[in-house]
Amino acid sequence: MTLHIQNAWLPEQGLTQIQVEAGRIVAMGTDLLPPPEAERLDAEGMAVVPGFVNGHSHAAMTLLRGFGDDMPLMEWLQTRIWPAEARLTEEDVYWGTRLACLEMIRSGTLCFADMYWHFHGVARAVEHSGLRAALGAVMIDVEGEKQARECQYLAEKLCAEVKGYSDRVRFSLTPHAIYTVSAHSLRWVSAFAARHDLPVQIHLAETQHEVEQCLRTHGVRPAVYLDQQGLLHANMVLAHAVHLDDNELDLIAQRGATVVTNPVSNMKLAVGGVFPYRKAAARQIPIALGTDGAASNNTLDMFQNMKMLALIQKHAEQDPTVLPAEAAWALATGCQAPIFGQSGRVAVGEKADFLLLRHAVPEMTPHHHFVSHLVYAATGHVVDTAIVAGRVLMRNRRVEDEEEIRHEVNARMQRVCQVSDAWQNR
Amino acid sequence: MTLHIQNAWLPEQGLTQIQVEAGRIVAMGTDLLPPPEAERLDAEGMAVVPGFVNGHSHAAMTLLRGFGDDMPLMEWLQTRIWPAEARLTEEDVYWGTRLACLEMIRSGTLCFADMYWHFHGVARAVEHSGLRAALGAVMIDVEGEKQARECQYLAEKLCAEVKGYSDRVRFSLTPHAIYTVSAHSLRWVSAFAARHDLPVQIHLAETQHEVEQCLRTHGVRPAVYLDQQGLLHANMVLAHAVHLDDNELDLIAQRGATVVTNPVSNMKLAVGGVFPYRKAAARQIPIALGTDGAASNNTLDMFQNMKMLALIQKHAEQDPTVLPAEAAWALATGCQAPIFGQSGRVAVGEKADFLLLRHAVPEMTPHHHFVSHLVYAATGHVVDTAIVAGRVLMRNRRVEDEEEIRHEVNARMQRVCQVSDAWQNR
């Protein structure tokens, strides 16, 4: 089945038609004729742009959005998040991830990397939503060897079972952090990932506390310690990377690991410090942008997260020229982080993953600089149409099952959080 | 004419009907009967909340949105903003302000304070848009006495002419800053404002450079200098207030002046430092939130600006408990700054200025905490209906003249910025 898009506007190039077959862009130009049997889509008044890559999320945490804000980190985790998470079932996680995917589609994210519990709940939701994602089941072995063996068994099992999903669902290993996973398990992850050519995601250097604990326990800083366990290489994704010194940045650059910065979550949780973007970019470290979970953000709209990234970096460096609009846009669409497999380009031969944006809106007026408006003025609400692998996931801002997803999540959270629904019982 | 609103949901109180007469809320409750001749509005599925107060803006600078970003402050002003502003006519400013008002209505701002050139262009736009605003013509006398006398003459003239507008348009004096207005003119402003009971808006302590220059020239810091000119009192609005020491905060608190923080603009221009919110709040200084002009923001959506305020304060204080959602919401709706005349309450006896929000959206799911969702998850796109003085300015997200405003602004900016329109000539 061919998808033929007419009258799309490609910024800096002009009007074009786009032909999609078997999930890829096969032709673009002004003089394309739609095959008679093609599905046609008129993009009059819309710009075609690549989708966002959300490099770090805990998608199902949409379930806990607003269930505790403005609290000290440990109090928030211990009194709100962990008790609620302990009550979540795989079905809850399925619906929470559906909600996250719905929100991502509506705000232009087409590919994400995730780390959470109840793997198949997450994977089924990604499959149904139509997005692409690299998923992993959280590994934590603070309880000791038995827990470590369970995590390893689960990873082996999931690595096989994931073949039952489409190629949009990629499996990755997700050890939680260096302070929640033993050195032995980290080395197991390193070996297993190498054997199966799997990407590995881990939280690293999010807080100063983590750095101090690592220095105290292991005598080295977090990136060095991770390297010692065989987990600093081109298949590694390091989430947060706030508290890194120059030596660690050099090491990350040498090893080719990817860093994902989560500026909104870092600010909301007040982790102290800011990801050293300028130093990392100067070393050509691959960099992506993430939202983290919705409980610490609380939106998955990458437009907002992209703007915050540009702002906090300018603020931190006291230099308004840092991370100009074009750089922020490239970073947020995955151009600087090849590991996520999105090129950030809408071009012949690329995957048919892209957005149609309604730019004739007040906040994108006047017509001075399109990319500036994307980064500094727009929100996810300008996304009209979202396409992944040639499949139309949203058209005219309508996504299948939206009502059902919202109702399911509201009903489930009344049970999980053991509260009545003040909005419904009004 | 009575406006009767049915089925509105008042957070924390429940369903209510609202009756509006002569611009005020005259009755609320579940058992109100609509008068037979009343205009009826069904708010089924919507929450009623107060509108935002944008405490500092240069509304017509929507004209220059995206016309220069990511540049050092002085280069940006000298090579982009000032040359373009010099070519603006009153009609340009009228349309730029119409665009700003359109954007504000669509994102929930119902009252703003403004400082710009071509006063009547701004005032006519406010009048036509239906919003409330305190407006002033920029006073700058760096060229000397002749310019000072022209500014004074203009202020006197406008103070009389403003009576030709409705009571939604308030006149204020707007000396630009202590480094662009002479001590003699500042004292004139002080006397004239006292004589006519006018509010005064000024930029203060935006950059460290301003502080150093003030110390060098006058031997005291900016707030002390302003006080010496008779311009620190309860009718004063101080925009930015980033670089203040404890003594200045004490003085501002004693005098009762209002501070307006503009976190997004401050970060985008990288002015260095952060408004000392915690210290100001501890001294009970009246505080409001502003966007500054769209050229340095680049959105007038107060939802986003409110979230950024909460985030940058948590980040700066390294404390996630600073500015919790309820405090950010109160601040952004004008509760902490009585000078703007908005109570931040939807209640009998108050002005009929409020919003109806569509909260049944993915980003406000699930139903844990309504105000948290407003501050951390929503954008201006949840605003369905905007009402000022009982007049419906937007319903179902439709504002009168939207298309015309966008087209006028685009056409005018091709002339002013002397560029062809790359979006139109595609």
Side-chain angles (χ1 to χ4, degrees), chain A residues 69-70 304 307 367 376 423, chain B residues 70 304 307 367 376 423:
Chain A
D69 301 288
D70 312 315
Q304 187 189 86
K307 178 171 178 177
H367 291 172
Y376 295 123
W423 292 13
Chain B
D70 313 313
Q304 187 188 87
K307 178 170 178 177
H367 291 172
Y376 295 123
W423 292 13

Side-chain angles (χ1 to χ4, degrees), chain B residues 303-344:
Chain B
F303 281 94
Q304 187 188 87
N305 285 273
M306 169 173 61
K307 178 170 178 177
M308 299 264 198
L309 170 67
L311 293 184
I312 191 65
Q313 289 296 335
K314 292 173 200 300
H315 170 73
E317 299 279 354
Q318 298 198 22
D319 181 350
T321 70
V322 174
L323 252 174
E326 289 83 355
W329 176 247
L331 196 155
T333 53
C335 297
Q336 314 300 331
I339 194 168
F340 297 113
Q342 299 296 96
S343 68

Side-chain angles (χ1 to χ4, degrees), chain A residues 345-423:
Chain A
R345 295 172 63 234
V346 179
V348 173
E350 300 289 346
K351 290 173 193 152
D353 294 7
F354 53 84
L355 310 173
L356 301 177
L357 307 184
R358 287 213 173 272
H359 55 78
V361 292
E363 63 267 34
M364 293 183 76
T365 305
H367 291 172
H368 291 309
H369 187 176
F370 185 73
V371 174
S372 163
H373 289 351
L374 292 179
V375 174
Y376 295 123
T379 72
H381 286 262
V382 301
V383 181
D384 178 276
T385 301
I387 295 174
V388 172
R391 178 176 157 207
V392 179
L393 307 184
M394 177 169 74
R395 176 72 173 145
N396 198 19
R397 289 201 67 64
R398 291 299 308 165
V399 183
E400 235 174 71
D401 302 336
E402 175 176 328
E403 296 267 295
E404 184 188 4
I405 293 168
R406 283 195 295 99
H407 286 128
E408 273 286 343
V409 168
N410 277 324
R412 286 169 181 276
M413 285 308 96
Q414 285 181 254
R415 173 183 57 73
V416 169
C417 298
Q418 301 178 336
V419 291
S420 67
D421 186 330
W423 292 13

